[in-house]
């Protein structure tokens, strides 16, 4: 599922940007950062600056343009929890799973602020902002 837009504070429609990517296999909702001029996977304690808006079955050629939305402070994303979130509280910041499509329950050096949860079980949707 990945990081899907839940809401934007002023209800504006976000524009797509087309940026070059590294040899990654993008998925809709994948957290990305720009490194050496190309988009790469964001995970762990690296906050994403972009979210992928395309899905591929195979890796892109380095430098290929893909559609993304820019992460902004007023966007709330819904994202699956990779693990049980029983110890996570609203306002905690959690890390991004290694696949760039989920959040973990790890709060040490977290980058995604939890603003809502539909449950605490693994797989539950967590609402986050960056």
């Amino acid at each position: 599922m990945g990081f899907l837009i839940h809401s934007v504070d002023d209800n504006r429609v976000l524009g797509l940007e087309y940026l070059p990517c590294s040899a990654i296999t993008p998925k809709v909702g994948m957290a990305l950062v720009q490194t050496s001029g190309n988009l790469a996977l964001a995970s762990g304690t690296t906050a994403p600056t972009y979210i992928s808006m395309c899905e591929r079955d195979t890796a892109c050629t380095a430098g290929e343009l893909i559609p993304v939305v820019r992460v902004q402070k007023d966007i709330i994303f819904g994202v699956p929890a990779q693990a049980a979130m029983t110890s996570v509280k609203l306002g905690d910041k959690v890390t991004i799973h290694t696949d760039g499509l989920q959040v973990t329950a790890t709060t040490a050096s977290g980058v995604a602020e939890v603003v809502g949860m539909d449950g605490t079980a693994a797989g539950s949707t967590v609402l986050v902002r960056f």
Side-chain angles (χ1 to χ4, degrees), residues 72-111:
Q72 299 172 29
K73 293 178 183 180
D74 66 343
I75 302 173
I76 295 176
F77 296 95
V79 60
Q82 175 268 334
M85 305 291 277
T86 50
S87 63
V88 175
K89 308 290 184 259
L90 294 182
D92 285 350
K93 289 188 175 185
V94 293
T95 60
I96 301 172
H97 189 262
T98 56
D99 63 6
L101 296 167
Q102 303 172 82
V103 291
T104 70
T106 304
T107 55
S109 301
V111 293

Side-chain angles (χ1 to χ4, degrees), residues 107-123:
T107 55
S109 301
V111 293
E113 178 187 0
V114 176
V115 296
M117 294 187 281
D118 77 352
T120 57

Side-chain angles (χ1 to χ4, degrees), residues 12-127:
R12 72 185 179 286
V13 176
L14 301 175
L16 294 179
E17 296 181 40
Y18 289 83
L19 298 174
C21 67
S22 57
I24 59 172
T25 305
K27 303 293 180 197
V28 171
M30 181 179 278
L32 302 169
V33 292
Q34 227 169 15
T35 328
S36 301
N38 288 324
L39 296 168
L41 183 69
S43 64
T45 60
T46 302
T49 49
Y50 300 97
I51 302 294
S52 171
M53 291 290 117
C54 77
E55 184 97 12
R56 300 281 172 88
D57 292 329
T58 58
C60 293
T61 304
E64 186 175 345
L65 298 178
I66 64 168
V68 295
V69 293
R70 184 181 298 266
V71 172
Q72 299 172 29
K73 293 178 183 180
D74 66 343
I75 302 173
I76 295 176
F77 296 95
V79 60
Q82 175 268 334
M85 305 291 277
T86 50
S87 63
V88 175
K89 308 290 184 259
L90 294 182
D92 285 350
K93 289 188 175 185
V94 293
T95 60
I96 301 172
H97 189 262
T98 56
D99 63 6
L101 296 167
Q102 303 172 82
V103 291
T104 70
T106 304
T107 55
S109 301
V111 293
E113 178 187 0
V114 176
V115 296
M117 294 187 281
D118 77 352
T120 57
S124 296
T125 298
V126 179
L127 300 178

